[in-house]
Amino acid sequence: MLFRLLLVLKTLLLSLFFSSFVAWSVPAYAENLKIMIYGDSLSAAYGIPQQKGWASLLQQKLVSEHYQYDVVNASISGETTSGGASRIRNALSQIKPNIIILELGANDGLRGLPIESMIANLNTIIQEGKKSGAKILLVGMKIPPNYGPQYTKLFSQSYLKLSQEHQIPLVPFMLENIAAKTNLIQDDGLHPNAIAQPLVLDNIWSQLKILLKK
């Protein structure tokens, strides 16, 4: 009788040991981190299929290089920094990004809006992003010289100024090695075509990878 009782207890203990080991050894998969692209038509794949835009190519690159991030493209064609500043809190609360790729300002420049206002709006977006705990990559732009040397200079320098003040990485010019090449620009003379999208991603990736973690 005692022998049978000991045998039952031994079997029960072994069963509990192995079941707990199995439960412990099953990995708990955490939800992927999120990258929010917060931009305008240059990031919204304007004039080309969405799957060929640099945002979609970024998602493919992250997967191929074994980074566990989901890309959420919150870009809106025609967006200004004012519009971006007005909706940033809502975007942050809905998406909860770990990284923000901030690409705004081109439409401010093309409309000749005050540089001081653009800087203030971008500053608001950066501050809200930081407050949420997200890391931020600032993407700079340049505008055509016909807006005058002083305005174009102040426009491009504003991104460097914000980058230095907030100590965040900067892509100096999103369309580097693209803007001056007609074979890489759509017929409107402004937006990069599908062929140029991998080059846009290359310009951004060099700084983005500093913020990524595996």
Side-chain angles (χ1 to χ4, degrees), residues 34-48:
K34 292 181 181 178
I35 298 175
M36 180 176 75
I37 302 176
Y38 203 66
D40 49 37
S41 57
L42 294 171
S43 297
Y46 176 88
I48 61 174

Side-chain angles (χ1 to χ4, degrees), residues 40 42 103-111 115 118 122 139-149 151-160 170-180 185 189-192 203:
D40 49 37
L42 294 171
E103 179 274 302
L104 284 173
N107 290 309
D108 295 60
L110 293 176
R111 297 178 188 184
I115 300 296
M118 184 183 83
L122 289 173
V139 179
M141 275 299 298
K142 295 180 181 179
I143 55 174
N146 56 294
Y147 285 83
Y151 187 84
T152 54
K153 182 179 180 180
L154 289 173
F155 180 87
S156 60
Q157 286 181 342
S158 63
Y159 293 98
L160 178 60
L170 169 69
V171 177
F173 183 30
M174 180 184 187
L175 302 182
E176 187 70 42
N177 299 318
I178 299 169
I185 300 295
L190 296 172
H191 296 90
N203 289 337

Side-chain angles (χ1 to χ4, degrees), residues 1-9:
M1 184 69 178
L2 180 60
F3 176 78
R4 286 185 178 181
L5 180 60
L6 290 172
L7 184 60
V8 169
L9 287 173

